[in-house]
Amino acid sequence: MGIEGVGARVARKEDKRFITGAGRYVDDMVVPGMKHAAFVRSPHAHAQIKKIDVKKAQGMPGVIGVLTGKELKADGIGNLICGWMIHSKDGSPMKMGAWSPLAFDRVRYVGDAVVIVVAETKGQARDAAEAVEITYKELKAVVDASKAMDKGAPQIHPEADNNLIFDWDIGNADDTEAAFGKAAHVVKMDIINNRLVPNAMEPRAALGHYDKAEDHYTCWTTSQNPHVARLVMSAFYNVAPENKLRVIAPDVGGGFGSKIYIYPEEIVCLWASKKTGVPVKWVADRTESFLTDAHGRDHHTHAEMAFDKDHRILGLKVETQANLGAYMSLFSSATPTYLYATLLSGQYNIPAIHANVKAIYTNTAPVDAYRGAGRPEATFVMERMMETAARQFGVSPAELRRKNFVTAFPHQTPVIMCYDAGDYAASLDAAMKASDYAGFAKRKAAAAKKGLLRGIGMSCYIEACGIAPSAAVGSLGAGVGLWESAEVRVNAVGTIEVLTGSHSHGQGHETTFAQLVNERFGVPLDSISIVHGDTDKVQMGMGTYGSRSGAVGMSAIVKALDKVEAKAKKIAAHLLEADEGDIVIENGALKVAGTDKNVPWFQMALAAYTAHNLPGGMEPGLKETAFYDPSNFTFPAGCYICEVEVDPETGVTEIVQFVAADDFGNIINPMIVEGQVHGGLAQGIGQALLEGAHYDNSGQLLTASYMDYTMPRAGDLPSFKVSTSNTPCPGNPLGIKGCGEAGAIGSPPAVINALTDAIGSNDLAMPASPSTVWAAIRATKH
């Protein structure tokens, strides 16, 4: 193994440019003749558009164009779509309401885009946007999913009666009812998973450029999957033919899922560029991000779990209402269905499961996948249920979980998933040891002497990463395949370029992908370039989300490396007059095993391109491509233990210890993995204690800035204790499982379980702010 290869704690190559301010983001892009855009957005959650008067705005200084939805429709630009078809349990397809990139007849949430203004400067565009006069007829709005289905609730889309998008189920209802009929104990809970705003450091941005001379479009955008953006904008939105559209996602400052989707702004900026004859740039301000970025979570769930007399789980029933907001975003339908309900078995051997999910329209921002995407919601249900059951039974939460763990693999759950490998007890044991779980009673007593309430809680999560395989997800309604591509180019001097369909927006691909190549060929990291994010440079790929870049993206690279290695060995064997089977690659050279005969890597590469001395019939050059379609999901799992102290007089909570024990399979770079876990834990703790998007009854977002929406800061977080165990994934050539979302999946229930343990009340909703905790303590006393 090279010192920079697989398993090494190599510092991230890309960080030098980031920490020195040399990153290149969409807002840094300047195109000759570029102008600036501002959007006029609806101030109402639900209203008819009666009249749009743009005359005053058109005459203002610097204004180049003021464009409306009627013009957009006249030019044939299509509606935004959801790309994953879900059918209700009665067989009817989901009810997808029309979402025009610019609303022209009705607005359905505060922030809905109505008009775009293009001007010389950003300030002039904003001034003119304020001068656009729109006459609305305000309609009744609904923001709560359960109320949206009530008789008399406002109808948001004519396609969806009672605002019901689909009524879907999974599992076997009869088997589950039979299991409950045999139960000695039944645990019931109502659980809310609070709505979140993604809050990537870099807000969304788009720069559209129509080149009239070439009849060609270029879109720079903050995207996690530029090829899918190009595909959808050409095939469904009719912005431009795919061969005349280039999508570039340069450095992207965080995504967390919110930048998977195609939003109205990319479409409109490209269209507006053609209409006005100038390149058009738009960059969201932070309030626009709060209003219009796809929100996450927002589930209301009733769950029941049946146990036998020995506390083994017999069955699980789950009913969930998923608030999808005003429109169906690109993958919104998959999040509360195949990314959520399929994980409701958790780490446990549950013979019978039945889940019913109702997806509902409301007059709020669209909801889609956010870090973890359905798996945090499933884990929160399962791990709150398990902790509550242990308390009701008067048994150890750890031992109740251990008793019900899946221990034999592969394990087929009743809800599609087949777990391929794992050792859940190993993570539980590691977490309990690291947290000194056995010594908690002494720490609780010491806290009580200081007048503080101390609690401990755990969460045993499992997730499904690297969504796969394409044929399987296609049969479940996915509109695209979920393979990945790679191209490995060995240049004439031996340097290497890896072109990947994955996209990096904070994950460290430029380092870990290069480590993979270094491990294989011994080429220094500085001689390896990772290229991504540009549809004109990289062959079709599916992007980054769902912790897929390692298990799927790197597996595609491995397949391409295999092809390069095979050809390189043939060339070396010819040059060294040796048998191909005797050639090995060590320390940057190709050698005849057991001898000192060798040819340096760069010399072999040069021979491939000079082509003066190649094996007969061999093509010159050394460049290979590969596509990898995974055979199964990967299943990271782990155990998190949180310990808190609560001041009963104020409700202020301090996390005094947080332990994370994860199984990610084989690991490429432990330092980067730890960083991913830390970031996920921060987001999960933020959800548990601080973050929550709230609308008033009229549909106004009350948490539209950092004055009202609380993000976790360093002072809110402890020093995490993290560790990993390893059961390699058998389903991909690297044996890796994915790590990017785990922290956000496992941490919220661990925190709430610890808090409810501390205050002696199970009735505690996220975010458990000081006022919420204080009120729960007072309610418990009375």
Side-chain angles (χ1 to χ4, degrees):
M1 178 184 294
I3 60 170
E4 298 177 318
V6 171
R9 303 176 68 89
V10 176
R12 298 194 342 165
K13 292 173 61 178
E14 50 269 69
D15 283 351
K16 181 177 180 180
R17 73 173 185 274
F18 293 146
I19 63 178
T20 58
R24 292 277 288 166
Y25 301 88
V26 174
D27 194 30
D28 295 315
M29 302 301 164
V30 177
V31 176
M34 184 183 78
K35 310 303 178 187
H36 297 268
F39 284 86
V40 181
R41 300 185 182 278
S42 170
H44 304 294
H46 200 194
Q48 289 182 347
I49 300 172
K50 306 298 289 185
K51 182 182 179 182
I52 301 174
D53 188 345
V54 301
K55 290 181 181 177
K56 182 179 178 182
Q58 287 173 330
M60 293 185 68
V63 171
I64 294 164
V66 184
L67 304 172
T68 68
K70 286 186 177 179
E71 295 167 89
L72 180 126
K73 286 298 169 192
D75 285 349
I77 302 299
N79 292 326
L80 284 89
I81 62 165
C82 176
W84 194 303
M85 172 56 72
I86 296 294
H87 287 81
S88 291
K89 56 189 179 184
D90 65 3
S92 61
M94 65 189 189
K95 308 302 190 291
M96 184 166 57
W99 183 6
S100 173
L102 290 177
F104 59 91
D105 57 351
R106 181 178 292 205
V107 291
R108 293 179 171 85
Y109 73 102
V110 173
D112 217 346
V114 183
V115 174
I116 183 175
V117 177
V118 180
E120 292 285 344
T121 69
K122 187 181 293 187
Q124 289 172 332
R126 288 179 173 176
D127 288 344
E130 291 181 5
V132 173
E133 297 177 0
I134 303 176
T135 304
Y136 295 98
K137 179 185 177 182
E138 194 169 357
L139 303 172
K140 185 181 177 184
V142 62
V143 300
D144 185 281
S146 59
K147 294 179 180 177
M149 292 190 296
D150 289 347
K151 186 177 180 180
Q155 183 75 27
I156 298 173
H157 290 279
E159 297 87 349
D161 291 339
N162 298 319
N163 298 312
L164 181 64
I165 301 168
F166 55 76
D167 182 357
W168 173 90
D169 72 349
I170 193 171
N172 189 302
D174 292 340
D175 288 353
T176 306
E177 286 299 328
F180 272 75
K182 298 184 291 185
H185 310 278
V186 175
V187 177
K188 302 180 181 181
M189 288 189 74
D190 291 305
I191 297 167
I192 295 174
N193 208 288
N194 46 322
R195 178 182 283 235
L196 302 175
V197 180
N199 277 305
M201 187 178 294
E202 179 198 19
R204 289 192 297 112
L207 168 55
H209 180 202
Y210 174 67
D211 185 333
K212 185 176 181 180
E214 299 288 339
D215 188 27
H216 186 273
Y217 298 77
T218 304
C219 178
W220 289 263
T221 180
T222 48
S223 175
Q224 296 177 217
N225 51 357
H227 275 103
V228 174
R230 184 177 73 158
L231 171 65
V232 174
M233 285 196 285
S234 60
F236 297 100
Y237 306 151
N238 303 319
V239 177
E242 192 171 12
N243 63 315
K244 294 186 176 183
L245 174 60
R246 179 183 186 183
V247 177
I248 303 171
D251 289 329
V252 172
F256 312 120
S258 70
K259 294 173 182 173
I260 300 172
Y261 329 112
I262 288 75
Y263 290 87
E265 292 84 5
E266 292 101 319
I267 300 167
V268 175
C269 283
L270 280 168
W271 168 74
S273 177
K274 185 173 184 178
K275 294 288 284 187
T276 60
V278 297
V280 176
K281 179 196 272 188
W282 166 81
V283 179
D285 63 32
R286 188 55 67 177
T287 292
E288 278 185 296
S289 296
F290 273 98
L291 289 172
T292 66
D293 287 4
H295 291 178
R297 318 291 190 239
D298 208 343
H299 281 195
H300 286 222
T301 295
H302 176 75
E304 300 184 9
M305 190 177 287
F307 293 83
D308 68 14
K309 61 182 178 58
D310 297 319
H311 303 149
R312 296 190 185 277
I313 305 170
L314 297 174
L316 174 69
K317 292 191 289 191
V318 175
E319 296 180 2
T320 293
Q321 293 180 343
N323 185 343
L324 294 192
Y327 301 102
M328 294 194 76
S329 179
L330 192 62
F331 291 120
S332 59
S333 59
T335 303
T337 53
Y338 291 111
L339 300 182
Y340 163 68
T342 55
L343 270 299
L344 284 171
S345 192
Q347 296 186 3
Y348 310 112
N349 187 0
I350 306 179
I353 299 174
H354 181 250
N356 174 237
V357 178
K358 293 181 174 68
I360 302 156
Y361 285 122
T362 64
N363 295 114
T364 62
V367 175
D368 210 315
Y370 170 64
R371 196 170 192 172
R375 289 94 81 196
E377 295 92 318
T379 299
F380 195 74
V381 169
M382 290 303 299
E383 293 307 295
R384 290 289 291 124
M385 290 288 287
M386 291 300 285
E387 199 84 5
T388 300
R391 292 171 189 173
Q392 290 186 12
F393 301 158
V395 300
S396 160
E399 294 316 306
L400 180 65
R401 288 174 168 88
R402 190 189 303 275
K403 176 178 286 189
N404 286 284
F405 278 159
V406 172
T407 55
F409 297 90
H411 174 80
Q412 179 64 55
T413 75
V415 280
I416 293 181
M417 294 299 181
C418 183
Y419 302 161
D420 52 11
D423 185 348
Y424 308 143
S427 294
L428 176 66
D429 291 342
M432 291 177 71
K433 181 178 180 181
S435 65
D436 185 20
Y437 195 82
F440 171 71
K442 290 182 180 179
R443 299 193 294 277
K444 184 179 179 72
K449 291 180 180 178
K450 298 185 290 182
L452 300 174
L453 305 174
R454 193 164 180 127
I456 194 166
M458 69 170 50
S459 166
C460 293
Y461 79 90
I462 189 169
E463 59 165 324
C465 296
I467 304 174
S470 294
V473 296
S475 70
L476 300 177
V480 293
L482 291 171
W483 45 266
E484 196 47 85
S485 70
E487 179 180 350
V488 176
R489 298 177 182 172
V490 180
N491 298 318
V493 293
T495 59
I496 297 175
E497 298 168 62
V498 177
L499 291 80
T500 172
S502 301
H503 186 277
S504 180
H505 37 276
Q507 294 89 345
H509 294 173
E510 292 175 40
T511 303
T512 52
F513 289 11
Q515 285 181 259
L516 195 62
V517 180
N518 167 267
E519 177 80 7
R520 181 71 72 98
F521 298 141
V523 177
L525 294 188
D526 288 344
S527 296
I528 304 165
S529 299
I530 309 299
V531 181
H532 64 92
D534 186 336
T535 61
D536 269 17
K537 291 182 178 179
V538 180
Q539 66 186 359
M540 180 75 177
M542 299 312 298
T544 292
Y545 39 85
S547 300
R548 71 189 304 272
S549 295
V552 186
M554 293 181 81
S555 292
I557 295 172
V558 166
K559 287 187 68 177
L561 292 175
D562 288 344
K563 296 177 183 179
V564 168
E565 179 178 336
K567 185 171 182 179
K569 285 182 174 179
K570 287 181 180 178
I571 296 171
H574 181 74
L575 295 175
L576 294 169
E577 298 180 339
D579 188 274
E580 183 184 330
D582 293 333
I583 301 297
V584 295
I585 303 176
E586 294 178 359
N587 300 320
L590 296 99
K591 303 178 180 179
V592 179
T595 76
D596 59 0
K597 294 176 64 178
N598 72 87
V599 57
W601 176 264
F602 77 88
Q603 188 173 322
M604 178 280 304
L606 186 61
Y609 286 93
T610 57
H612 297 159
N613 185 17
L614 291 177
M618 177 178 281
E619 293 181 352
L622 191 52
K623 180 183 77 169
E624 298 289 351
T625 63
F627 289 77
Y628 175 77
D629 198 8
S631 60
N632 192 5
F633 291 82
T634 71
F635 297 97
C639 178
Y640 293 174
I641 295 178
C642 177
E643 203 165 324
V644 300
E645 284 186 345
V646 181
D647 184 341
E649 299 303 315
T650 64
V652 171
T653 298
E654 179 186 0
I655 298 178
V656 292
Q657 179 175 240
F658 200 105
V659 169
D662 296 289
D663 178 357
F664 297 134
N666 294 333
I667 289 174
I668 305 299
N669 187 319
M671 183 178 66
I672 288 178
V673 168
E674 289 165 11
Q676 288 278 1
V677 173
H678 285 194
L681 293 177
Q683 285 182 281
I685 291 168
Q687 175 174 11
L689 297 181
L690 303 168
E691 298 183 52
H694 295 281
Y695 288 87
D696 68 14
N697 288 333
S698 71
Q700 294 293 328
L701 183 61
L702 301 177
T703 50
S705 77
Y706 292 136
M707 295 291 287
D708 304 297
Y709 186 98
T710 309
M711 294 287 286
R713 301 183 181 186
D716 298 310
L717 305 171
S719 292
F720 303 120
K721 297 180 182 178
V722 301
S723 65
T724 57
S725 56
N726 181 4
T727 55
C729 173
N732 64 67
L734 289 166
I736 58 181
K737 297 183 178 182
C739 67
E741 298 166 288
I745 292 169
S747 54
V751 174
I752 299 301
N753 285 341
L755 256 174
T756 53
D757 179 56
I759 67 175
S761 169
N762 210 38
D763 188 15
L764 189 65
M766 298 189 292
S769 64
S771 61
T772 300
V773 173
W774 184 87
I777 293 170
R778 294 298 173 278
T780 302
K781 288 183 177 180
H782 295 94

